[in-house]
Amino acid sequence: MNTWKRVLASLLILGGAGAVHAEEPFETFDVDPTKRWEYVADTVMGGVSSGALSFESEDLDSYARLAGTVSTANNGGFIQFRHLLATPLSKGAEGLRLRVRGNGEVYFVHVRTKGTRLPWHYYQAQFETTANWTEIRLPWSAFKPSASLLRDTPAAGKIKSVGVVAYGRDHSAKIDVSEVDFF
């Protein structure tokens, strides 16, 4: 949410007893997102995928854009942007909510917990994109472990990072994310 939207929301909230309080999403990419989000690709393990993370604005929306080419050559196969959580989530959080648009491809969210110690350990949930902004809700039960040693679903209070990932097959990636939140 940009500054103009925040001012308007504040005026509505302060408007009196009849006003409804709207909580801010966890991330809206409008204030210094480069301090919280990082780009990572399979090149850290010898892969050859390429891409970039940029932070854009359109109309009144700010968003993160992940774009590039995912290649499974040389045991690769991902590009992503991720956020390392500074404070734990509430144990009562039931899942993750995103506002996204993309090029019609399937994308993933990877979460890591205190129990995902090896680089190839994470929990993964998939979602599809369209050219229009869409809200995606992913309950923790939608996240599947990448290894048999992990518990069946991630525990909200133990999540330490969230990543939006183009993964697993050769394709062109282009996904925009304007909000990340937990429900």
Side-chain angles (χ1 to χ4, degrees):
M1 181 180 299
N2 66 26
T3 304
W4 182 86
K5 284 183 180 176
R6 285 178 195 225
V7 170
L8 182 59
S10 297
L11 289 173
L12 290 173
I13 291 167
L14 297 173
V20 175
H21 174 70
E23 270 189 51
E24 285 289 316
F26 172 77
E27 179 66 75
T28 57
F29 301 100
D30 59 340
V31 179
D32 295 325
T34 58
K35 293 181 179 179
R36 296 178 302 280
W37 294 88
E38 66 179 336
Y39 171 81
V40 182
D42 58 19
T43 55
V44 299
M45 305 176 326
V48 296
S49 297
S50 62
L53 171 63
S54 60
F55 297 100
E56 312 284 336
S57 251
E58 180 181 284
D59 299 324
L60 299 175
D61 282 322
S62 296
Y63 57 92
R65 172 171 284 166
L66 178 67
T69 303
V70 178
S71 172
T72 56
N74 209 31
N75 295 317
F78 75 89
I79 60 174
Q80 74 169 305
F81 67 103
R82 72 177 171 201
H83 181 289
L84 303 176
L85 301 178
T87 57
L89 296 179
S90 163
K91 291 180 182 178
E94 296 177 20
L96 181 83
R97 182 184 68 78
L98 303 169
R99 184 170 176 256
V100 303
R101 70 179 176 191
N103 60 352
E105 293 286 346
V106 172
Y107 293 92
F108 300 86
V109 173
H110 286 186
V111 296
R112 292 181 52 85
T113 66
K114 294 177 182 178
T116 56
R117 301 198 186 277
L118 299 173
W120 52 88
H121 286 179
Y122 51 84
Y123 293 88
Q124 173 180 275
Q126 74 177 35
F127 61 93
E128 294 182 24
T129 60
T130 69
N132 299 317
W133 287 110
T134 306
E135 181 177 287
I136 305 294
R137 294 176 71 86
L138 300 168
W140 299 133
S141 60
F143 287 80
K144 304 303 176 205
S146 66
S148 61
L149 300 175
L150 300 173
R151 51 185 290 160
D152 289 341
T153 58
K158 297 191 184 283
I159 292 174
K160 63 181 188 177
S161 73
V162 174
V164 176
V165 188
Y167 170 79
R169 66 195 185 290
D170 296 334
H171 69 285
S172 292
K174 183 178 176 187
I175 180 171
D176 298 335
V177 180
S178 68
E179 290 181 9
V180 177
D181 204 5
F182 302 96
F183 62 89

